Amino acid sequence: MNPGQLKDRLTFYEVIFDNGEEQLVERCKLWGQVKFKKNKFTDQQPEKSYQIIIRANKAIKPLMKALCQGKWYDIMAVDEGEPGYFILDCTLGYVHSLNDRCTVSRLQEVELASGETIHQPVVLMEQIPCELVKIDSGDTRQTDTTHNIRLLYKIHMETHRNIKIGDKIEVNHRGQTFRFTVKECFKYHTFQEVMAEIEGEA
């Protein structure tokens, strides 16, 4: 293979679990060639398959992630290609278009100058790519004088963002700002789904 064809700049990450939380650790940057392979169907859902060709490098292993031009790829297998080259079989890492941005805050103990300890929101992450999705209203709570509807949303984001129940998330979606409290979160292989209840809209 002509090395001049390796024109895609890739950053490779290893997934590390520390105390149950997923962390991405950058391992190396390499030149390669990203090629679309085929669509395959898993449980009736289309799944795009890709190949990445790189020079042989012992640091690259299955289950790592590669980032190229804003797209994430999950490395499923590492095979030898032409002499001196590896062929990486990959799937698209995050299947959603993460065009929104969010800020994540969490209540933490903060010590004041007076020595008093209080709990207040502390920003953990800013400008995180995400996708805000409105879903059906949740439980309806009705009394003799009030009729309250819980407005629930889904927020899709990358799996290495470690979100906890009770976190506050502020999402900028198409010029509007929405504020949420996290009620539930679940990590799939290709993305994370956060169930959140809206607090207000600005």
Side-chain angles (χ1 to χ4, degrees), residues 15-23 106 162-164 187:
V15 180
I16 303 294
F17 289 93
D18 184 16
N19 293 325
E21 294 195 341
E22 182 176 327
Q23 308 289 342
R106 184 174 300 159
N162 295 302
I163 307 299
K164 294 184 177 180
K187 292 184 179 182

Side-chain angles (χ1 to χ4, degrees), residues 75-88:
I75 300 172
M76 308 309 292
V78 178
D79 299 313
E80 293 187 4
E82 296 181 22
Y85 291 89
F86 281 170
I87 297 176
L88 314 179

Side-chain angles (χ1 to χ4, degrees), residues 33-188:
Q33 183 184 48
V34 180
K35 296 166 40 176
F36 177 72
K37 188 177 177 183
K38 63 180 178 179
N39 280 324
K40 60 180 180 179
F41 286 81
T42 305
D43 295 331
Q44 304 305 314
Q45 296 296 319
E47 184 178 281
K48 293 178 185 281
S49 177
Y50 291 81
Q51 278 188 344
I52 298 176
I53 300 173
I54 60 171
R55 286 184 177 272
N57 188 308
K58 293 182 179 179
I60 306 305
K61 297 176 281 189
L63 304 182
M64 293 179 70
K65 292 180 180 290
L67 177 63
C68 180
Q69 298 182 0
K71 289 186 177 181
W72 290 89
Y73 301 88
D74 289 336
I75 300 172
M76 308 309 292
V78 178
D79 299 313
E80 293 187 4
E82 296 181 22
Y85 291 89
F86 281 170
I87 297 176
L88 314 179
D89 282 326
C90 307
T91 57
L92 200 58
Y94 298 111
V95 296
H96 296 274
S97 298
L98 305 180
N99 295 323
D100 300 324
R101 293 293 181 270
C102 71
T103 298
V104 180
S105 302
R106 184 174 300 159
L107 282 178
Q108 294 187 349
E109 285 189 355
V110 177
E111 186 174 342
L112 303 178
S114 62
E116 181 186 1
T117 300
I118 63 172
H119 286 83
Q120 68 179 32
V122 175
V123 173
L124 302 179
M125 296 173 270
E126 295 182 281
Q127 290 296 307
I128 301 303
C130 65
E131 178 188 44
L132 181 62
V133 180
K134 187 174 182 181
I135 60 176
D136 292 337
S137 300
D139 298 334
T140 301
R141 300 172 183 172
Q142 185 171 3
T143 67
D144 293 338
T145 57
T146 62
H147 185 77
N148 296 325
I149 298 177
R150 296 173 63 207
L151 297 178
L152 296 177
Y153 287 72
K154 288 191 289 190
I155 303 169
H156 296 144
M157 61 179 67
E158 301 150 327
T159 56
H160 63 276
R161 312 296 181 180
N162 295 302
I163 307 299
K164 294 184 177 180
I165 293 173
D167 285 353
K168 305 293 184 180
I169 300 183
E170 184 174 286
V171 180
N172 186 284
H173 172 77
R174 299 179 64 87
Q176 289 184 287
T177 299
F178 299 84
R179 296 178 179 87
F180 301 92
T181 299
V182 175
K183 296 299 182 182
E184 186 181 350
C185 47
F186 185 80
K187 292 184 179 182
Y188 297 89

